[in-house]
Amino acid sequence: MATTPAATHAPAETDGHDHAGHGYITEKDAYLKRLKRIEGQARGLQRMVEEDKYCIDILTQVSAMTKALQAVAMGLLEDHISHCVVDAAVAGGPEADAKIKEATDAIARLVRS
């Protein structure tokens, strides 16, 4: 289903943030594909525990799943900075400050995880 530019930039009113034109929108299908693969990895981990698989094999799969989630997070962060933060910085003012703080807080959460 193709989206029109107007549909792509329609604001979402779900959480109080202005989400007009999410930075990831052009890669949405790729993100969904990756997240579905990660969902499958989580089910596989559950199955491994249910089947009493060897601890190291489970830990190896946990590591793979963690790396996959980190890759999604880094992609989303890059998209957010290159679109949302840049757009806000060009506009200037308090919106720019808020977007930069939002991005640095997200980076801090990722570093701690």
Side-chain angles (χ1 to χ4, degrees):
M1 177 172 98
T3 59
T4 64
T8 301
H9 296 291
E13 300 291 333
T14 56
D15 62 4
H17 290 93
D18 179 15
H19 296 290
H22 296 296
Y24 66 84
I25 197 72
T26 60
E27 299 296 323
K28 184 177 179 178
D29 289 340
Y31 282 119
L32 288 172
K33 182 177 179 181
R34 291 171 93 177
L35 289 168
K36 287 178 184 183
R37 191 175 314 125
I38 292 166
E39 181 181 24
Q41 286 177 295
R43 283 193 302 273
L45 281 167
Q46 290 171 336
R47 199 168 30 257
M48 290 177 80
V49 171
E50 288 169 353
E51 295 172 0
D52 298 320
K53 297 295 182 182
Y54 186 56
C55 300
I56 297 301
D57 293 340
I58 296 170
L59 289 169
T60 299
Q61 292 307 309
V62 167
S63 177
M65 189 173 160
T66 300
K67 287 179 185 175
L69 280 169
Q70 288 171 338
V72 169
M74 291 305 297
L76 287 168
L77 181 61
E78 182 179 342
D79 288 341
H80 179 68
I81 290 171
S82 64
H83 293 92
C84 302
V85 175
V86 168
D87 290 348
V90 168
E95 177 71 14
D97 295 339
K99 288 293 182 187
I100 290 169
K101 171 119 176 62
E102 184 180 65
T104 56
D105 289 349
I107 292 167
R109 284 190 302 273
L110 288 171
V111 169
R112 286 191 301 264
S113 64

